Amino acid sequence: MTNETISKLQQIPGLKVLLGEQIGADYCHDELPDARPYAPEAVCEAESTQQVSQLMKLCSEEGLSVTVRGAGTGRAGASVPVKGGIVLSLKEMNKIISVDEEAMTMTLQPGVLLQDVKAEAESHGLYYPPDPGEKTATIGGNVSTNASGPCAGKYGRSCDYVLDAELVLADGTVTTLSAREDLRQVLGSEGTLAVITRLSLKLVKAPGADVILLLPFADSDTALAAAEKIAQADFAPAVMEYMDGEIVEFSGKVTGNPVFPLEIDGCPVAATLMLSLEAEDEDAVEELMEQFAEYAEELECLDILVGDSISMKREFWAAHDAFHNSMESAVAQVEVNVSVPSLQLSALINYAKSLGEEGGYKVMAYSHVPCGGVHFHGVSDMSKDEFRDRAAAFAKAVRSKCLELGGSATAEYGVGYANIDWFKSSDAEGYQQMLQAKAKLDPRGILNPGKVVEQC
Ligand SMILES: Cc1cc2nc3c(=O)[nH]c(=O)nc-3n(C[C@H](O)[C@H](O)[C@H](O)COP(=O)(O)OP(=O)(O)OC[C@H]3O[C@@H](n4cnc5c(N)ncnc54)[C@H](O)[C@@H]3O)c2cc1C
């Protein structure tokens, strides 16, 4: 970048421009494991749509690449400047503009954190359901990756909640898109087609009451078969998580707080289903729970454990959300996130476990059953170097199997630069549509180059 360009950036009123040592290491990576850092030439922190528009106009004229960044919690390398240029941080665009209780909508800037979106909705007696787990992610990042998570089966994904969006295009044009148009492709493009500068979100009525039920099973296939039966029945669980015994045990040891049962009356628990049932009030939830307990007799679970107090529900969720970080304690580990039609979960999980048995490492899994998303973690006591080839072979084999079973090998974490080939083989038509949209909306290829449809 020339000094002249830097000076033009610095002349954009209010835009904060960081250069050289002012650029912290955090701007050079996201949460993609074992990835090399990529440093931008400059970081620009914007506070307004106007600043974003002026910056994009300048970068378009100069052919300079721009990588938009929310909180950098992505796990596909999507917000990392693999081709240098500018990182445009929107974390200061973090105002909630308005909440309309009657219309049940929230208008806000993209840098608002998910945890703040949820808390604001709650303070108005409303509910914003999408929740990928990482609550320090921004709403802009969530929408740009169409983030999902445990409740996506019942409530849908992040893009499903966007009513309209203000966008800045690659040439600096400011425009709005409404849900009547094809929002999902542009919004969920991981910052490759436009910069989101404002969102209007649909909120829903908060469930009046809810309860968490834990159903431990003696074997994994019975647990998944039970999950299928529950999905066909009338209970409409907001969440149905499958957690295998190995991940529960491993994570419980790391946190020192083994919340989920490891055995029931001397029988080892091979898998647990965690269900959340919702109804309009406490009485209705009580009644639903009783109906469920009666129904569950045919499910072959070892017990039903009830979490009805706020503290118990928090404890269950904290134990579930700890799975991910617990893996950091392994000497070497590999994570693969894929999704398959829920009827194929057993086949995929059994296959992944067999790879671990053959390769001499432990494979653990948990799954958002209704949408078929599975998080696999392979852990080993081998050194990282020793494990590297096995980890790569495991990830490749699981993803190939997932495609064979009719699933998506990119699943929740998006494409970024890490999953481009898998995007192509999971969804050839979607890939072609993205290529066409890129040619139309960003012909100079300055928005987030090296991502989604273009190798770095
Ligand atoms: C422990 C952990 C668990 C996770 N679990 C899940 C999970 O279960 N499900 C799931 O879906 N994700 C999960 N994630 C991934 C991550 O939290 C999500 O991808 C999240 O939506 C990213 O938000 P962010 O603000 O950090 O975005 P970033 O990582 O900063 O950016 C992600 C992408 O969005 C683009 N972007 C960001 N803001 C904008 C904007 N305003 N306009 C245009 N483009 C923009 C970036 O260019 C980039 O391509 C997890 C992450 C961690 C660390």
Side-chain angles (χ1 to χ4, degrees):
M1 196 184 316
T2 63
N3 286 341
E4 200 188 336
T5 307
I6 293 172
S7 155
K8 284 183 191 166
L9 281 171
Q10 288 167 331
Q11 281 163 32
I12 297 177
L15 186 75
K16 195 165 166 192
V17 183
L18 307 178
L19 299 164
E21 285 176 4
Q22 293 170 317
I23 299 172
D26 278 353
Y27 279 120
C28 307
H29 68 87
D30 66 356
E31 296 299 323
L32 174 66
D34 298 326
R36 58 154 282 202
Y38 287 92
E41 289 165 80
V43 171
C44 296
E45 294 178 352
E47 286 178 342
S48 70
T49 303
Q50 212 184 357
Q51 287 166 9
V52 175
S53 167
Q54 283 178 263
L55 178 139
M56 288 312 306
K57 187 166 184 297
L58 173 65
C59 291
S60 162
E61 283 162 5
E62 311 237 340
L64 205 61
S65 61
V66 178
T67 302
V68 188
R69 186 179 177 95
T73 69
R75 296 184 69 84
S79 63
V80 176
V82 293
K83 298 213 171 169
I86 290 172
V87 162
L88 170 59
S89 167
L90 298 184
K91 67 178 187 184
E92 300 302 327
M93 288 184 72
N94 57 5
K95 312 264 173 322
I96 293 177
I97 298 164
S98 62
V99 175
D100 184 333
E101 287 184 12
E102 213 166 300
M104 298 202 284
T105 59
M106 184 187 295
T107 301
L108 73 178
Q109 290 184 311
V112 178
L113 303 186
L114 175 63
Q115 61 197 19
D116 298 331
V117 178
K118 286 185 166 284
E120 182 72 15
E122 206 179 315
S123 73
H124 291 270
L126 295 167
Y127 182 40
Y128 176 71
D131 189 346
E134 179 50 72
K135 294 190 183 50
T136 63
T138 64
I139 192 72
N142 279 184
V143 168
S144 302
T145 54
N146 198 10
S148 58
C151 71
K154 175 167 179 180
Y155 284 107
R157 303 180 70 143
S158 301
C159 283
D160 298 324
Y161 286 79
V162 180
L163 296 170
D164 61 62
E166 179 187 76
L167 305 170
V168 176
L169 303 181
D171 64 0
T173 308
V174 181
T175 184
T176 53
L177 264 189
S178 82
R180 284 187 299 279
E181 293 149 285
D182 185 10
L183 274 173
R184 195 173 304 227
Q185 186 185 49
V186 177
L187 293 184
S189 73
E190 303 181 24
T192 60
L193 298 180
V195 185
I196 302 167
T197 46
R198 198 189 63 224
L199 288 161
S200 287
L201 301 177
K202 172 177 81 175
L203 305 174
V204 298
K205 233 175 113 213
D210 65 296
V211 65
I212 291 186
L213 303 179
L214 297 183
L215 279 60
F217 290 83
D219 79 87
S220 161
D221 288 343
T222 310
L224 286 163
E228 270 313 308
K229 284 187 196 155
I230 297 167
Q232 305 302 321
D234 286 335
F235 299 100
V239 165
M240 185 154 52
E241 291 288 285
Y242 161 93
M243 313 178 286
D244 74 18
E246 285 93 347
I247 204 160
V248 162
E249 188 176 3
F250 186 95
S251 184
K253 275 189 191 148
V254 175
T255 60
N257 186 17
V259 169
F260 300 123
L262 293 172
E263 61 166 61
I264 302 281
D265 298 335
C267 176
V269 173
T272 298
L273 294 180
M274 179 165 91
L275 269 65
S276 165
L277 299 182
E278 296 175 341
E280 65 269 21
D281 56 31
E282 297 292 347
D283 287 348
V285 143
E286 188 72 30
E287 200 179 312
L288 194 60
M289 215 162 61
E290 278 167 23
Q291 286 167 6
F292 185 84
E294 209 173 296
Y295 168 79
E297 280 169 20
E298 64 180 72
L299 297 177
E300 296 178 57
C301 52
L302 299 170
D303 202 351
I304 300 182
L305 309 173
V306 179
D308 49 4
S309 67
I310 291 177
S311 63
M312 282 178 90
K313 286 185 265 185
R314 262 196 208 132
E315 204 174 32
F316 288 160
W317 275 118
H320 171 278
D321 293 348
F323 292 159
H324 206 277
N325 287 344
S326 299
M327 300 301 145
E328 305 292 331
S329 71
V331 181
Q333 72 129 334
V334 55
E335 183 197 4
V336 188
N337 173 233
V338 292
S339 69
V340 285
S342 59
L343 277 172
Q344 304 290 0
L345 279 169
S346 256
L348 184 67
I349 291 172
N350 290 334
Y351 173 74
K353 297 243 174 202
S354 73
L355 293 175
E357 276 157 29
E358 283 160 25
Y361 51 92
K362 190 194 280 259
V363 171
M364 304 178 274
Y366 67 104
S367 165
H368 320 311
V369 179
C371 59
V374 201
H375 297 266
F376 287 108
H377 291 272
V379 298
S380 167
D381 291 333
M382 290 173 222
S383 71
K384 277 191 176 171
D385 282 344
E386 238 182 309
F387 191 51
R388 188 160 290 118
D389 287 348
R390 284 178 218 221
F394 173 75
K396 188 169 176 202
V398 168
R399 287 184 160 129
S400 303
K401 184 72 177 175
C402 149
L403 294 184
E404 204 183 298
L405 295 171
S408 156
T410 58
E412 287 177 73
Y413 293 160
V415 183
Y417 72 81
N419 299 323
I420 294 177
D421 289 338
W422 291 109
F423 173 37
K424 231 191 262 186
S425 35
S426 292
D427 181 7
E429 199 185 325
Y431 180 83
Q432 285 306 323
Q433 286 167 354
M434 276 299 294
L435 266 182
Q436 285 160 13
K438 184 79 179 163
K440 190 170 148 201
L441 288 173
D442 182 19
R444 296 198 68 180
I446 62 166
L447 270 172
N448 211 354
K451 313 291 168 58
V452 184
V453 287
E454 184 199 341
Q455 304 284 352
C456 59

